[in-house]
Amino acid sequence: MTMEQSSAKFKQKKSLSKYLLPSKIPNKVGVAVIRSQSARENRAEHGDESHCKRAMTISKRPLSLNVSNMSPKKESSNFLSVSSPLDRCASVSENNVAEASLSPDENVLMEKSISHESVMKEAQVLYLIPTMQARQRNFLQGKIGANSLLGPKELDRVFPNREVTIFVGTWNMNGHMPPKELNDFVLPIGIEHVPDILVFGTQESCSERFEWEVCLQETLGPSHILYHSISLGTLHLAVFVRRDLIWYISIPEDASLSVRPGTAFRTKGAVACSFLLFGTSFLFVTAHLTAHQEKVKERVSDVKKIVNSLDLPKVLPCKNKSKDVTQNFDYVFWSGDLNFRLATPRSKVLEWLSKTSFPLPEHLPHGYLHHDQLCSVLADGAAFKGFTEAKITFPPTYKYDPGTQNFDSSSKQRTPAYTDRILYKQRAGRRFSGQAETPPLQCLVYDSVSSITTSDHKPVWGVFKAHVRPGLDTIPLQAGLFHRDVYLEGLKRRATLNDSKTGTAVCSIQ
């Protein structure tokens, strides 16, 4: 090839490089975007000219996030399905990565590096920040700037609809180890996407708390992390959050109260955990109240003691802090073995159960629930002021012969009852002129888990949808901290399918 031919060929390549994009488009923060196979197929169909135009358009704009199609949609299921949290912050999809032209060795490395993305589906990438925008100062919102970590722009990027989904589960474990299979409780078929926050409250818990937390982590997988846990005697509360939310959540604050302080075993009382997500405050309480059919007044007294004794929040901001802890947060979830019973003879309840199929239709009267002690307490305002409970459509959750689906056949012959409940409350906030009203807290589903038989109680769970508002960067943040030991052990067991633990061992109460 002559020198002139080489020079002409070099000029031709140089001229084409103005229009053709390389296989990877590096942005200015070091993230490479790979073109998908579909894009290459479209180029072949429409010809080089259209490709050049499209390439010029892409090359002139920075990476951006498309949130135009991220609204909730109504499915054929029983409740409103929420847009997957995995759709909120993605610019590079797993398919794009997998379709790149890599050598066999590179493909193996790539598969290993994105194995966890089979759960997360898409990876989060940094977006470009205009310098002029960074120069701006906003003294009204956040007192930091336009790009504050907890400000409205970041909130809209993480939660385009400003809605967070919350799972609340409660279970009296009767001192037993959990079964090897927890999917029916932790990841029930009734929900399409894993909620953003999952809270598990247990009573008469197994003394092996680390083992219980690892079981939950193993079931959830790498998409969620254990943010905080607290225990008191046989009470335990564990809060898991979607792992990318750990940067937008405050430090946790917890409190506990034993309503039987003089006893050796603290089996009755409550534990609570509170935090801020962006600018919205949450309180989760799990409680075990006084037992026995006739002790309604004692249970009401337990609730009042707990409400007035839990000192929260401590460091986190709160305007006009009330002695009633449930008045200090935007959203409150109270779950547990509340021990309220049905004021109906056992024979009549069993007769009703034998003639009834579950789940109950929501538009029909719910059997003997009009004799339910908790319903009466809520109606007359004796306790749980401002709290609501979703309609119960499942059978009584207490008391069963462990290992069976049969109600108590012991000499005590306890009447079946709805002792395990989840209540929720939303604070009525002040609305300024022209400001949109905060959407109500919604319970999307409320159900029990009949398949788990290790305890004399059935687990109960609910999924909720709450509104999130922007916050100030001045609050103390968790800054990425979580229970890494639980995370690593859970993933290790998930990977090796460790079946060494049995689901029938009985733990001693400590």
Side-chain angles (χ1 to χ4, degrees), residues 94-111:
E94 181 184 352
N95 291 334
N96 288 346
V97 175
E99 290 171 355
S101 56
L102 299 174
S103 67
D105 292 339
E106 290 173 325
N107 269 319
V108 172
L109 292 174
M110 183 63 73
E111 287 175 5

Side-chain angles (χ1 to χ4, degrees), residues 156-218:
D156 291 337
R157 189 180 71 86
V158 179
F159 294 109
N161 299 310
R162 297 195 175 187
E163 293 172 347
V164 60
T165 51
I166 303 157
F167 174 101
V168 178
T170 179
W171 185 24
N172 184 319
M173 300 178 71
N174 196 28
H176 287 67
M177 286 290 289
K180 291 185 290 185
E181 177 61 67
L182 281 174
N183 280 340
D184 287 350
F185 181 33
V186 179
L187 299 171
I189 297 177
I191 56 178
E192 182 179 358
H193 300 111
V194 183
D196 304 309
I197 301 171
L198 297 101
V199 181
F200 300 91
T202 54
Q203 310 82 43
E204 296 185 26
S205 312
C206 173
S207 60
E208 298 292 335
R209 304 300 161 77
F210 180 78
E211 183 68 26
W212 168 240
E213 292 169 0
V214 169
C215 287
L216 295 172
Q217 181 70 75
E218 178 187 358

Side-chain angles (χ1 to χ4, degrees), residues 169-363:
T170 179
W171 185 24
N172 184 319
M173 300 178 71
N174 196 28
H176 287 67
M177 286 290 289
K180 291 185 290 185
E181 177 61 67
L182 281 174
N183 280 340
D184 287 350
F185 181 33
V186 179
L187 299 171
I189 297 177
I191 56 178
E192 182 179 358
H193 300 111
V194 183
D196 304 309
I197 301 171
L198 297 101
V199 181
F200 300 91
T202 54
Q203 310 82 43
E204 296 185 26
S205 312
C206 173
S207 60
E208 298 292 335
R209 304 300 161 77
F210 180 78
E211 183 68 26
W212 168 240
E213 292 169 0
V214 169
C215 287
L216 295 172
Q217 181 70 75
E218 178 187 358
T219 306
L220 283 171
S223 62
H224 289 67
I225 54 179
L226 179 58
Y227 161 66
H228 189 63
S229 66
I230 176 180
S231 61
L232 172 71
T234 60
L235 290 164
H236 183 262
L237 185 70
V239 181
F240 288 81
V241 300
R242 210 180 73 210
R243 67 186 188 193
D244 50 329
L245 294 182
I246 198 66
W247 302 105
Y248 308 103
I249 198 167
S250 72
I251 58 172
E253 294 188 320
D254 56 51
S256 61
L257 176 71
S258 173
V259 294
R260 293 181 180 176
T263 57
F265 302 113
R266 296 184 176 183
T267 60
K268 300 296 188 292
V271 293
C273 176
S274 64
F275 57 84
L276 280 166
L277 178 64
F278 281 91
T280 302
S281 58
F282 294 86
L283 173 66
F284 295 90
V285 181
T286 190
H288 195 182
L289 307 182
T290 300
H292 304 302
Q293 177 92 15
E294 67 281 1
K295 295 192 175 182
V296 179
K297 292 183 179 179
E298 286 81 355
R299 287 189 277 276
V300 170
S301 176
D302 289 346
V303 173
K304 292 179 178 180
K305 288 179 183 177
I306 294 168
V307 164
N308 293 311
S309 299
L310 296 179
D311 184 20
L312 291 172
K314 300 172 183 176
V315 177
L316 298 178
C318 177
K319 292 183 179 180
N320 303 319
K321 184 176 177 180
S322 171
K323 183 68 174 176
D324 180 348
V325 69
T326 66
Q327 300 289 341
N328 298 330
F329 298 89
D330 296 314
Y331 300 107
V332 182
F333 299 88
W334 190 305
S335 64
D337 180 0
L338 306 186
N339 258 321
F340 289 98
R341 313 299 174 93
L342 293 175
T344 306
R346 172 184 165 88
S347 58
K348 290 188 176 181
V349 175
L350 291 177
E351 181 183 0
W352 167 65
L353 291 171
S354 65
K355 297 179 180 179
T356 305
S357 59
F358 295 89
L360 295 170
E362 292 189 3
H363 64 281

